[in-house]
Amino acid sequence: MVQRVKTVAAALLTLATAHLALPSHSLPAFVHPSVDAAAKTSPTNETLSLTIQLRLQPALDIPAHVKSDPQALGLFVKKTVDEHASRTQASLLEVLRSLGEEVTFLQSFSVSNTLVVDLTPTALTVIRTHEDILSIHVNGAFKARLPAPASHRPSEPHQANLAQSPAQWNLHQIGADQVWSEGFTGQNLIYAAADTGVRYTHQALLPNYAGLQKNGTVNHNFVWYDGVRRPVNPNVRNLLCPPPMQFPCDDFGHGTHVMATAVGKDGFGVATSAKWIACRNMDGGVGRPETYLNCLQFFIAPTNLAGQGADPSRRPAVIGNSYGCANDEMCDPNTFTSAIATLRAAGIFMAVASGNDGQQGCSSVDSPPATSGQVTVVGAVDRHLAIPSWSSHGQVPGRNPTNRGVDLVAPGVAINSAWFDTDTDNATISGTSMAAPHVAGAVLLVASACPHLERNVDAIQTLLEQTATPVFPSVTNCGDRLTQVPNSFAGYGQVNVTAAVAQCLRGGA
Ligand SMILES: *[C@@H]1O[C@H](CO)[C@@H](O)[C@H](O)[C@H]1NC(C)=O
Ligand SMILES: *[C@@H]1O[C@H](CO)[C@@H](O)[C@H](O)[C@H]1NC(C)=O
Ligand SMILES: *[C@@H]1O[C@H](CO)[C@@H](O)[C@H](O)[C@H]1NC(C)=O
Ligand SMILES: *[C@@H]1O[C@H](CO)[C@@H](O)[C@H](O)[C@H]1NC(C)=O
């Protein structure tokens, strides 16, 4: 799989170089080989599901007076990408509509300027040379590499301990408890996670659910969206959470666990009073580009349950991303790059798990969204600040000036958090999935302590990096000098939210 990722990247590079002298509109679209493989084996009366990435990206040049006004910023970015998408998709949409019944499904995304289309192989031959297309990939189901090394799979979930106990080791290790005692708990901020869903009635999660009203009723509009609009695998019926769900539901456990690590009560969460919203991007642990896109589109401007009334003022401050688009055949890196640029421009911080493929060595950060330079990539450490062998690390060429694949680390070994079986269960599991929400929670604590930093993703990222506790790999070093900071295993080191808050309160950021 790693090899095939490289092949795709190389193919794109070759195309770009070979045609450098030509006007950009003459570049042929990159059609992933798996598209033609699927077309060849598909009977002519059956459709293929594809993602079509448009060539032109919007210029997100944001005027200073807009940048400094969070409300105006959200509206500006949403309006810019919407107008750009409707302008640049118009010609291709006209062709697709003219194909009548040859096209059975069509959805347009402005967050990344992408179309998801189900069409016949005949229709594909008509559109594949359209000059507005950058790339075409299969919108296929793939199993996201969710956690976790088997030895730390949840055993028998037990009742959560409700007593006000000292902060769990993982929260203490990043200095969250010190920041709480100063009165900063993520208040007045919105957190979002795109994952396997959430058991919203869990006692550690319900109090912070943005859908909970003062009178105790719940309203799921604008705070929950099922990115699984249709089954990812039509042959597998999802009995626990049949899509599309009209309220938050988790069929896997992973989404509930990572949500509570960022914003849960009962001693599980970092930012104990931030409100959460959520979007499901996996169906039984399996997602596809369409489900990932549905969630990223929802987060720039949350909608009601029917997908209407998009409102950028409800967008989150931070998104936790504990998944990777692991199979290159199913995932266009251009699409993620484009969506991530939109989210960052709107002032949304993306905390992303580095992956659990560390055994594959120094290029084991290989799956979008972690390969993007515009997200904060988080690896795992244990309670002794040691990096587990499975924490993905190494170089991603061009990601940043030092090509490092990891920006920060956080606790990710044997993390106790909420579990999805009942409203009181908890489980102890491991993975970089568990590390990323610690950094997301740290961002919320910093933004509640230093509101002038809200929506300033660059400043918060720099602050967390500069105040992190350096961590060094013990075995190999992927070409880094021995005590190099940042290094390609741990980036700048373990997030230290006590130090980060102290520095921003001093006016150091
Ligand atoms: C496609 O055509 C074949 C042969 O005519 C038929 O058996 C099959 O059911 C058709 N499939 C669909 C999806 O219509
Ligand atoms: C609870 O509050 C919501 C929002 O304020 C309101 O729409 C709803 O009617 C109330 N429900 C009850 C049962 O009081
Ligand atoms: C559940 O949490 C309690 C403490 O809150 C802990 O003692 C217990 O080991 C946890 N159970 C699991 C399965 O992790
Ligand atoms: C985090 O920063 C605080 C304040 O500078 C310091 O006292 C603490 O030792 C640091 N924690 C770690 C794990 O480095």
Side-chain angles (χ1 to χ4, degrees), residues 266-347:
D266 296 357
F268 296 138
V270 177
T272 55
S273 58
K275 296 278 184 257
W276 63 266
I277 67 173
C279 180
R280 178 165 72 149
N281 62 14
M282 285 172 269
D283 179 0
V286 183
R288 58 174 172 171
E290 177 185 339
T291 61
Y292 292 82
L293 280 173
N294 274 328
C295 288
L296 298 177
Q297 182 77 45
F298 175 71
F299 288 147
I300 50 161
T303 64
N304 67 13
L305 291 166
Q308 291 153 348
D311 180 359
S313 73
R314 298 174 183 258
R315 73 197 188 283
V318 189
I319 303 174
N321 304 270
S322 289
Y323 59 89
C325 189
N327 187 333
D328 70 282
E329 291 183 354
M330 315 297 181
C331 176
D332 185 347
N334 295 312
T335 299
F336 270 94
T337 302
S338 173
I340 288 162
T342 303
L343 292 158
R344 188 158 178 133

Side-chain angles (χ1 to χ4, degrees), residues 213-215 217:
Q213 312 296 307
K214 288 202 177 70
N215 60 15
T217 63

Side-chain angles (χ1 to χ4, degrees), residues 456-480:
N456 191 338
V457 177
D458 293 345
I460 295 179
Q461 182 173 342
T462 302
L463 175 67
L464 292 179
E465 289 174 351
Q466 288 177 351
T467 53
T469 307
V471 172
F472 306 104
S474 56
V475 199
T476 66
N477 58 5
C478 293
D480 295 339

